């Protein structure tokens, strides 16, 4: 049997420094990124445009007052004056793509002909449409009826779905008092 060599203190220190570096370098890198704003995006951008100047849904000149917003439901309102059947189908498919989050969103079709698709409400503009409305425009409204985002008629449904998923994720569902009582039993 060979005699054991004594441990080299320099080699042991080098191993210790390498171990410390493995854990410290990511922390120091993250600190430098935050401190000097290197490699960090300046902002998170939604695919739609923010619309602070559009009035709440209750003030929209609509013929159907059944279109009022629920307290817990997000609303996807869309102008259906151009190619209505295709638009209604596109937004119905987007609604289905939400999966288990679908009950948290309702759709409001403004204008157009034909029957309402499942989960869709129908309304029409009273007289002349407001100045902020353009054909094919889509609005995403928060619970309570405040307009958050608007999209042009050329928007990709995938982009709208990304924004809706993000909003539903950062705004968890509030359960009603009755649901809480049932779940506690």
């Amino acid at each position: 049997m060979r005699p054991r060599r004594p441990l080299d203190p320099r080699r042991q220190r080098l191993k210790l420094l390498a171990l410390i570096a493995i854990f410290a370098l990511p922390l120091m890198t993250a600190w430098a990124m935050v401190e000097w704003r290197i490699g960090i995006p300046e902002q998170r951008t939604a695919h739609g445009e923010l619309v602070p100047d559009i009035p709440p849904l209750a003030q929209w000149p609509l013929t159907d007052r059944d279109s009022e917003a629920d307290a817990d439901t997000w609303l996807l309102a869309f102008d259906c004056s151009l190619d209505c059947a295709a638009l209604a189908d596109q937004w119905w498919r987007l609604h289905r793509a939400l999966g288990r989050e679908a009950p948290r969103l309702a759709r409001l079709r403004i204008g157009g002909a034909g029957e309402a698709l499942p989960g869709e409400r129908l309304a029409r503009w009273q007289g002349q449409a407001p100045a902020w409305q353009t054909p094919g425009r889509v609005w995403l409204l928060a619970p309570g009826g405040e307009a958050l985002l608007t999209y042009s008629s050329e928007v990709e449904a995938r982009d709208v779905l990304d924004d809706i998923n993000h909003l539903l994720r950062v705004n968890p569902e509030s359960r009603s008092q009755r649901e809480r009582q049932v779940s506690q039993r």
Side-chain angles (χ1 to χ4, degrees):
M1 191 151 110
R2 292 175 59 188
R4 285 186 73 156
R5 247 181 5 186
L7 295 176
D8 183 12
R10 286 179 289 163
R11 186 170 180 195
Q12 295 304 318
R13 280 190 203 118
L14 188 59
K15 284 182 183 178
L16 180 62
L17 288 175
L19 187 62
I20 290 172
I22 287 173
F23 291 105
L25 279 176
L27 291 174
M28 292 186 327
T29 303
W31 176 82
M33 288 174 67
V34 169
E35 189 66 28
W36 294 308
R37 308 297 295 167
I38 299 171
I40 297 176
E42 291 299 317
Q43 60 192 8
R44 163 136 168 80
T45 307
H47 295 96
E49 301 170 31
L50 294 175
V51 285
D53 54 341
I54 293 182
L57 182 63
Q59 297 175 11
W60 288 19
L62 297 175
T63 57
D64 184 12
R65 284 291 119 197
D66 182 41
S67 61
E68 296 297 324
D70 295 333
D72 295 331
T73 305
W74 293 79
L75 185 66
L76 182 71
F78 59 98
D79 179 76
C80 206
S81 56
L82 299 173
D83 197 16
C84 188
L87 281 176
D89 184 61
Q90 173 184 357
W91 301 125
W92 177 80
R93 290 176 188 275
L94 174 135
H95 196 178
R96 295 298 93 199
L98 289 172
R100 66 182 177 145
E101 296 291 344
R104 296 182 61 196
L105 180 76
R107 293 182 327 280
L108 174 64
R109 182 173 74 186
I110 304 172
E115 295 292 318
L117 294 175
E120 186 174 68
R121 301 178 198 162
L122 300 177
R124 295 198 179 280
W125 295 114
Q126 279 182 346
Q128 190 174 3
W132 43 264
Q133 183 273 344
T134 57
R137 175 100 15 216
V138 180
W139 300 274
L140 183 58
L141 292 93
E146 294 181 35
L148 296 179
L149 297 171
T150 184
Y151 303 90
S152 68
S153 58
E154 296 86 30
V155 69
E156 292 286 329
R158 182 178 340 125
D159 294 340
V160 178
L161 181 62
D162 287 345
D163 287 348
I164 292 172
N165 279 327
H166 176 73
L167 286 170
L168 293 178
R169 187 173 42 253
V170 298
N171 295 291
E173 184 175 16
S174 62
R175 297 183 342 182
S176 68
Q177 183 66 22
R178 183 175 176 196
E179 289 172 327
R180 285 189 208 121
Q181 290 172 351
V182 169
S183 66
Q184 290 175 353
R185 290 181 190 172

